[in-house]
C-alpha cells in the first residue's frame, strides 16, 4: 500500500527508464508502452493528437493544452542523470 499523496498532481511512470519505475509498473500490471520512437517523435500510445511531433515540441503542445484548460499549476525543472551504455 502506497502512502497518501500530500498534494494532488500527476505521476509519470516510465518503466523503461529506471528499475523503480519498472517495478512499480509490474506491481500494478501497467502495460509497457513505447511512446517515443527512435527518431524522437511521439508514437500513438503517447497521445494520438501528438503523433509524429518531436518530443520537445510535444512537451510544449501538452503544456499549452493543460494551461488552456486551466489544469496547469506550474512547471519545475528537475536534474536529469543519463547513464551511458557501452
Amino acid at each position: 500500500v502506497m502512502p497518501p499523496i500530500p498534494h494532488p498532481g500527476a505521476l509519470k511512470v516510465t518503466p523503461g527508464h529506471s528499475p523503480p519505475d519498472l517495478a512499480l509498473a509490474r506491481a500494478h500490471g501497467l502495460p509497457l508502452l513505447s511512446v517515443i520512437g527512435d527518431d524522437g517523435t511521439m508514437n500513438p500510445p503517447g497521445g494520438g493528437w501528438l503523433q509524429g511531433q518531436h518530443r520537445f515540441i510535444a512537451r510544449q503542445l501538452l503544456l499549452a493544452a493543460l494551461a488552456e484548460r486551466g489544469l496547469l499549476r506550474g512547471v519545475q525543472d528537475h536534474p536529469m542523470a543519463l547513464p551511458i551504455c557501452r
Side-chain angles (χ1 to χ4, degrees), residues 46-80:
W49 64 284
L50 295 172
Q51 183 177 351
Q53 294 290 337
H54 191 274
R55 62 192 176 108
F56 295 124
I57 300 298
R59 178 182 294 154
Q60 296 305 315
L61 292 171
L62 180 59
L63 290 173
L66 289 170
E68 182 179 300
R69 290 166 177 79
L71 300 172
L72 182 63
R73 292 187 181 179
V75 177
Q76 293 179 323
D77 286 333
H78 296 280
M80 185 168 65

Side-chain angles (χ1 to χ4, degrees), residues 7-8 10 22 25 34 39 50 59 70 79 86:
H7 303 286
L22 179 58
S34 178
D39 63 354
L50 295 172
R59 178 182 294 154
R86 295 181 192 246

